[in-house]
Amino acid sequence: KPCSSLPAGSQLPCFHGSSTIRNLKERFHMNMTEEQLQLLIEQMVDGSMRSITTKLYDGFQYLTNGIM
């Protein structure tokens, strides 16, 4: 598991505090099964596809960089 392999006594300031590892595990959904992750990702993609901010950003990328 990627989050559990971080050194406990790390000197990096970003890993100080007792909640850092817990927050990473929550962000990466380490407690979900493959099936639950698949459903979550599908929901996230569907939500993004319907989002006005996604459409605006895609338009910006197209106009400024020719990326679509």
Side-chain angles (χ1 to χ4, degrees), residues 1 25-45:
K1 295 186 177 189
K25 286 180 179 180
E26 287 175 12
R27 174 178 248 180
F28 296 136
H29 306 288
M30 302 290 288
N31 59 334
M32 290 185 163
T33 65
E34 288 288 325
E35 292 80 17
Q36 291 170 326
L37 284 170
Q38 184 175 355
L39 180 60
L40 174 65
I41 291 168
E42 288 173 3
Q43 291 170 343
M44 292 170 76
V45 169

Side-chain angles (χ1 to χ4, degrees), residues 5-66:
S5 65
L6 296 170
S10 175
Q11 297 302 311
L12 296 171
C14 59
F15 293 111
H16 288 200
S18 60
S19 63
T20 303
I21 302 299
R22 180 176 35 85
N23 290 341
L24 283 171
K25 286 180 179 180
E26 287 175 12
R27 174 178 248 180
F28 296 136
H29 306 288
M30 302 290 288
N31 59 334
M32 290 185 163
T33 65
E34 288 288 325
E35 292 80 17
Q36 291 170 326
L37 284 170
Q38 184 175 355
L39 180 60
L40 174 65
I41 291 168
E42 288 173 3
Q43 291 170 343
M44 292 170 76
V45 169
D46 287 342
S48 293
M49 290 175 65
R50 290 190 302 272
S51 170
I52 185 65
T53 55
T54 299
K55 289 175 177 48
L56 291 170
Y57 186 73
D58 286 347
F60 171 79
Q61 286 295 320
Y62 179 73
L63 291 173
T64 59
N65 301 310

